[in-house]
């Protein structure tokens, strides 16, 4: 290799992103990339080569996709957990870990559990069995309204705690005529809704439970009494319930970047449960209890991710805006790719931060 080729190779290596390993011809291009990529220690990372990926879907492609990195694929096939994507110390450690990492399905569902207790509904919110939980999951099931039955109307709602206990369940009396009960997926019949709880009544109970005695404007994730709400497609469920709740308290598995298919496309809850929890849901009639359990399990798996603790982990934090000075070309010329990564911060709230609250 001649001197010029050696210099070009060295320059390209210097312009290589320390997170995603993308290479650039010029330093200013790397700087622009770092400004808009928001790489951080909260991104899913390959346990072999330490490459940062935007989502677990990207990490899965990197390890076992159609065109994986061969070295990483070989090691992952021997020592990698196919549910949490972690690399273990040995094939035996992987086997033991994966057995613990895979969840079993909720075979009995809510209907069977309630029948065993001699209950039709659990319309009174139970604060005692779950000891006033800080985190709860919510799921609604919709029937159809309108001339073609395509308008979603909330007809059933369930709330569970972190231990899969039912905190609240009720059928909801529709405020408009139901034209399609969607029985094949909802299991809801006209008689279930005839004497059901009115929407306004259910809305008030859920709102009071979530706020937990705190004014809406005062609710915050850390240090407040309001409850964190987990679900899949929460914006839609809350809209159908005609219920408002601060976005800072929502943990939506359909919108959480590490769990999304692309930056704009969500994965289905059915897929997420099969891929990352190891069992199937939505086989036949869909139970809201089953959805609550699945979203809570996904949330807890994300919450217990072990990431480096940072004083100000979000790019939007006021304290991090001073870091933008370092992105000036005059300053960045003296920084290595690793130093750039060290001052880069995430553009989304990582759920692991909830475990620090």
């Amino acid at each position: 290799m001649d001197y010029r080729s050696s210099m070009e190779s060295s320059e390209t290596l210097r312009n290589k992103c320390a997170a995603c390993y993308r290479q650039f011809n010029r330093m200013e291009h790397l700087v622009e990339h770092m400004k808009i990529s928001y790489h951080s220690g909260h991104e899913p990372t390959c346990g072999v080569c330490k490459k940062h990926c935007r989502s677990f879907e990207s990490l899965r492609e990197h390890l076992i996709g159609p065109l994986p990195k061969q070295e990483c694929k070989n090691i992952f096939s021997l020592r990698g957990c196919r549910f949490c994507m972690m690399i273990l110390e040995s094939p035996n450690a992987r086997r033991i870990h994966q057995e613990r990492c895979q969840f079993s399905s909720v075979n009995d569902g809510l209907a069977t559990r309630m029948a065993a207790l001699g209950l039709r509904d659990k319309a009174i919110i139970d604060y005692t069995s779950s000891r006033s939980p800080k985190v709860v999951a919510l799921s609604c099931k919709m029937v159809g309204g309108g001339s073609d039955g395509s308008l979603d109307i909330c007809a059933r709602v369930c709330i569970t705690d972190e231990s899969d206990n039912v905190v609240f369940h009720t059928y909801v009396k529709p405020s408009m005529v139901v034209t399609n009960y969607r029985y094949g997926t909802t299991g809801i019949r006209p008689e279930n809704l005839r004497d059901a709880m009115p929407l306004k009544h259910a809305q008030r109970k859920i709102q009071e439970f979530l706020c937990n005695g705190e004014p809406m404007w005062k609710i915050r994730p850390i240090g407040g009494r309001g409850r964190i709400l987990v679900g899949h497609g929460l914006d839609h469920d809350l809209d159908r319930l005609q219920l408002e709740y601060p976005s800072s308290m929502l943990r939506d598995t359909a919108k959480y970047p590490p769990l999304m298919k692309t930056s704009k496309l969500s994965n289905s809850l059915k897929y997420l449960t099969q891929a990352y929890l190891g069992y199937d849901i939505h086989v036949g009639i869909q139970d809201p209890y089953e959805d609550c359990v699945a979203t809570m399990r996904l949330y807890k798996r994300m919450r217990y991710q072990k990431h480096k603790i940072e004083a100000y982990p979000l790019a939007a934090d006021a304290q991090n805006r001073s870091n933008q000075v370092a992105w000036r070309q005059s300053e960045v010329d003296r920084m290595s790719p690793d130093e750039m990564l060290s001052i880069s911060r995430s553009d989304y709230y990582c759920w692991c931060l909830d475990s620090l609250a």
Side-chain angles (χ1 to χ4, degrees), residues 14 62 67 71 110 117 163 194 200 285:
R14 183 171 181 265
H62 171 76
L67 296 171
E71 179 186 356
L110 179 59
L117 295 173
S163 300
R194 193 168 296 129
K200 291 293 184 184
I285 290 176

Side-chain angles (χ1 to χ4, degrees), residues 24-49:
F24 299 88
N25 292 328
R26 301 174 66 87
M27 173 60 77
E28 52 263 41
H29 297 163
L30 172 59
V31 174
E32 288 305 312
H33 165 75
M34 293 300 291
K35 284 181 180 179
I36 63 174
S37 61
Y38 299 101
H39 287 308
S40 76
H42 294 281
E43 293 175 304
T45 304
C46 175
V48 182
C49 70

Side-chain angles (χ1 to χ4, degrees), residues 16-252:
K16 181 179 179 180
C17 176
C20 67
Y21 299 156
R22 185 177 173 185
Q23 292 185 330
F24 299 88
N25 292 328
R26 301 174 66 87
M27 173 60 77
E28 52 263 41
H29 297 163
L30 172 59
V31 174
E32 288 305 312
H33 165 75
M34 293 300 291
K35 284 181 180 179
I36 63 174
S37 61
Y38 299 101
H39 287 308
S40 76
H42 294 281
E43 293 175 304
T45 304
C46 175
V48 182
C49 70
K50 308 305 178 186
K51 177 183 178 179
H52 290 226
C53 299
R54 184 62 178 174
S55 67
F56 280 98
E57 201 68 16
S58 297
L59 178 57
R60 189 177 288 272
E61 288 288 314
H62 171 76
L63 291 169
I64 55 176
L67 296 171
K69 185 174 179 180
Q70 198 60 46
E71 179 186 356
C72 298
K73 177 184 177 181
N74 293 341
I75 294 175
F76 184 81
S77 65
L78 292 174
R79 299 192 279 118
C81 174
R82 66 188 180 95
F83 303 119
C84 68
M85 315 304 288
M86 183 184 295
I87 304 294
L88 284 303
E89 295 178 357
S90 67
N92 187 53
R94 174 257 189 116
R95 180 184 59 80
I96 296 171
H97 168 88
Q98 195 162 268
E99 287 176 356
R100 295 173 179 172
C101 204
Q102 182 177 13
F103 285 90
S104 58
S105 63
V106 186
N107 293 320
D108 48 3
L110 179 59
T112 305
R113 286 176 177 235
M114 302 297 275
L117 295 173
L119 300 172
R120 176 177 172 272
D121 284 350
K122 193 168 188 175
I124 299 174
I125 291 184
D126 190 344
Y127 295 86
T128 56
S129 66
S130 50
R131 297 183 180 179
S132 193
K134 175 63 178 174
V135 183
V136 295
L138 177 145
S139 178
C140 298
K141 288 302 167 188
M142 312 290 175
V143 292
S147 58
D148 60 355
S150 63
L151 181 64
D152 285 345
I153 306 171
C154 179
R156 191 179 178 190
V157 59
C158 179
I159 299 176
T160 65
D161 65 11
E162 290 190 64
S163 300
D164 302 341
N165 296 312
V166 179
V167 176
F168 176 75
H169 168 262
T170 188
Y171 288 98
V172 178
K173 192 167 188 176
S175 54
M176 61 185 297
V177 176
V178 177
T179 55
N180 185 356
Y181 284 88
R182 305 173 184 174
Y183 178 78
T185 55
T186 67
I188 297 173
R189 299 179 184 274
E191 53 266 30
N192 296 130
L193 306 182
R194 193 168 296 129
D195 299 315
M197 181 181 291
L199 176 63
K200 291 293 184 184
H201 191 182
Q203 176 195 90
R204 185 174 68 253
K205 280 181 171 291
I206 295 169
Q207 185 95 62
E208 289 174 355
F209 175 68
L210 294 177
C211 293
N212 197 22
E214 199 160 46
M216 185 76 75
W217 61 268
K218 196 176 179 181
I219 292 175
R220 57 192 185 278
I222 300 175
R225 295 199 303 273
R227 304 178 202 278
I228 290 172
L229 183 62
V230 177
H232 190 83
L234 277 173
D235 287 344
H236 182 252
D237 282 353
L238 294 178
D239 178 67
R240 296 297 86 191
L241 285 168
Q242 299 176 24
L243 193 152
E244 294 184 359
Y245 201 56
S247 59
S248 63
M249 302 297 286
L250 304 182
R251 304 292 181 263
D252 194 334

